[in-house]
Amino acid sequence: MKIVFMGTPEFAVPCLDILDKNFEVQAVFTQPDRPKGRGKKMAMSAVKERALESQIPVYQPEKIKKSEDIQVLKDLSPDVIVVVAYGQLLSQEILDIPKFGCINVHASLLPRLRGAAPLNFAIVNGEKVSGVTTQYMVRKLDEGDMIDKIEVEITEDMTAGELHDILSLKGGDLIMKTVSDIEAGHIHRTPQDHELSTYAPKMDKEMAVINWSKPAQEIHNLIRGFNPWPIATTKYLGGKVKVFKSSVLDEEASSPGKIIRVSSDGLVVDCLDKRLLIKEIQMPNKKRMTVAAYILGNSFEIGTRLGE
């Protein structure tokens, strides 16, 4: 089974690894090197790093639409193209190249949460189950026929980073099974019920600003869902505070955003219905730390409202 792999971030690496060990990965397509970090040094993608380690030819078109890039794919004549968080849309001409089609590994249980940030919004939306789905790619975003799924439980305190790592490994397991089934001729296609679809948009920092007039559980979900990026934020005495960890308390609230008390357990803040315990923060010009560590040399003004 000849495979061309298209992917970019760390999430896609386990899929590349397992395919490279069990099939013939002819080439890897990934995003061009980008400036990264404070120094803005050019950095290669996680998928490129792994491909080079495995001595797999790497292609990095800025836009995979040029005739020379399409010709490379035609010359390779892959049996299947596997796409995992590549970051570019494929034309119908490319979708038609591989013998068995283009297969995408998507980090949700389709048709729920199509789009750019499915695992984040599974947590933000308070869902109890997530997973990965393999699907045949079509021109419309994440609307292709489904092939197979693996479900994963979302626990009460799980962050998007933790779910990312679990789904990344499950994606590797699933694409191995899917490609093996294709090779054996045992593949099954299930059309998506588009009426059940939901959407997970691309994240930005504005989405991560905490609205204390929301229920405590919603805020807790937002904090988990945007950890490790873009990180939930709020204001305290005019400065921006990053919030990394929290839990919902079984205490009635009456004044959203108001700091009720602080201790080594954390910072207790009123929300719309219940109170939220903030456990880990990053104050302006400080390192990330627990509230317990922060109050050893600093204090919070009880009665002050966060977000103002």
Side-chain angles (χ1 to χ4, degrees), residues 26-142:
Q26 301 169 288
V28 161
F29 281 70
T30 190
Q31 293 279 55
D33 297 357
R34 305 290 190 197
K36 188 176 182 181
R38 291 186 178 181
K40 298 298 181 183
K41 292 183 179 179
M42 296 299 288
M44 63 182 73
S45 72
V47 164
K48 179 181 177 180
E49 287 188 20
R50 186 56 55 87
L52 293 177
E53 289 172 6
S54 302
Q55 298 183 319
I56 304 171
V58 174
Y59 298 88
Q60 296 178 272
E62 190 69 43
K63 296 289 184 182
I64 192 167
K65 294 180 179 179
K66 294 182 178 179
S67 58
E68 55 263 36
D69 298 317
I70 294 175
Q71 189 60 50
V72 167
L73 289 169
K74 288 181 176 179
D75 290 344
L76 289 168
S77 188
D79 294 310
V80 65
I81 293 176
V82 173
V83 181
V84 188
Y86 176 39
Q88 295 196 40
L89 296 176
L90 304 186
S91 66
Q92 189 62 51
E93 187 176 8
I94 293 175
L95 295 177
D96 291 338
I97 289 173
K99 179 180 178 181
F100 297 109
C102 295
I103 307 299
N104 173 239
V105 179
H106 185 73
S108 83
L109 299 174
L110 291 172
R112 294 190 62 79
L113 295 171
R114 298 169 176 169
L119 67 87
N120 300 87
F121 280 94
I123 293 178
V124 170
N125 295 346
E127 300 189 13
K128 302 301 182 183
V129 178
S130 181
V132 283
T133 305
T134 45
Q135 62 167 332
Y136 282 102
M137 296 181 70
V138 295
R139 284 290 293 150
K140 293 184 178 179
L141 183 66
D142 299 327

Side-chain angles (χ1 to χ4, degrees), residues 120-121 124 203 207-208 222-232:
N120 300 87
F121 280 94
V124 170
M203 296 180 295
M207 293 178 180
L222 180 113
I223 292 167
R224 297 186 299 130
F226 289 162
N227 181 352
W229 194 89
I231 301 297

Side-chain angles (χ1 to χ4, degrees), residues 156-228:
E156 175 61 21
D157 293 319
M158 183 181 287
T159 66
E162 292 164 343
L163 182 59
H164 168 282
D165 293 347
I166 294 169
L167 295 186
S168 178
L169 295 175
K170 295 295 184 183
D173 295 338
L174 189 62
I175 194 60
M176 177 64 195
K177 181 178 183 300
T178 296
V179 174
S180 296
D181 287 346
I182 290 173
E183 188 173 45
H186 296 156
I187 208 70
H188 299 284
R189 305 176 70 125
T190 304
Q192 295 188 44
D193 185 343
H194 302 304
E195 292 185 1
L196 298 178
S197 69
T198 57
Y199 182 63
K202 186 177 181 179
M203 296 180 295
D204 61 45
K205 293 183 179 181
E206 289 185 7
M207 293 178 180
V209 176
I210 296 172
N211 178 355
W212 294 102
S213 295
K214 296 284 188 178
Q217 186 65 52
E218 285 190 26
I219 297 173
H220 177 57
N221 294 342
L222 180 113
I223 292 167
R224 297 186 299 130
F226 289 162
N227 181 352

